[in-house]
Amino acid sequence: MSTKVIPLKETYTIRGEEITITASARINVETGKPVFDQQLDDAAIEQAFAVYRGRHDYFSSQDIVTLRKQINLTQSEFADMLGWNLTTVVSYEAGALPSEENNAVLHALQDKL
């Protein structure tokens, strides 16, 4: 099967909001149908999350890591300081969207620094 990568408009629903992006997608050259490509799919989802974060001023995973390192804390210490579970910090630093409340806490912390 011969494939190629093309730009494709895709819509994702993130927290009830539709986010439309143009992402790279792999298609079958003969049929024109999409072919699963984990790397391209992951990149498209991250692109959609980045648009959502930008629209709503949410911290990115890198923003959270930078903030935590700025105050020189481990993930566990950071979680303890904020009253969060360690799993929460780990998931946010891996790319999960913070809850609205936790995002507000991160902004308040950043504003104090």
Side-chain angles (χ1 to χ4, degrees):
M1 167 178 57
S2 179
T3 66
K4 69 177 180 179
V5 176
I6 63 165
L8 186 66
K9 192 173 272 194
E10 298 185 72
T11 300
Y12 295 88
T13 302
I14 301 174
R15 294 192 176 164
E17 180 177 336
E18 288 192 351
I19 306 290
T20 301
I21 60 166
T22 300
S24 295
R26 185 170 302 282
I27 63 162
N28 179 314
V29 173
E30 290 83 33
T31 66
K33 293 186 178 183
V35 174
F36 178 73
D37 184 311
Q38 186 70 53
Q39 287 182 313
L40 294 178
D41 288 353
D42 289 348
I45 291 167
E46 183 50 43
Q47 184 181 348
F49 270 77
V51 169
Y52 184 90
R53 283 184 181 100
R55 284 184 187 170
H56 300 283
D57 198 23
Y58 270 77
F59 274 72
S60 71
S61 57
Q62 188 55 54
D63 293 336
I64 295 168
V65 170
T66 300
L67 179 62
R68 177 176 59 78
K69 288 183 176 183
Q70 185 178 357
I71 54 180
N72 199 30
L73 296 176
T74 66
Q75 288 179 323
S76 182
E77 292 167 336
F78 193 61
D80 287 345
M81 182 190 81
L82 297 173
W84 297 351
N85 188 298
L86 174 59
T87 305
T88 299
V89 173
V90 171
S91 67
Y92 290 169
E93 289 190 4
L97 281 173
S99 68
E100 188 175 328
E101 297 80 15
N102 288 353
N103 195 62
V105 168
L106 292 168
H107 276 289
L109 177 60
Q110 184 180 50
D111 290 347
K112 289 182 180 181
L113 299 179

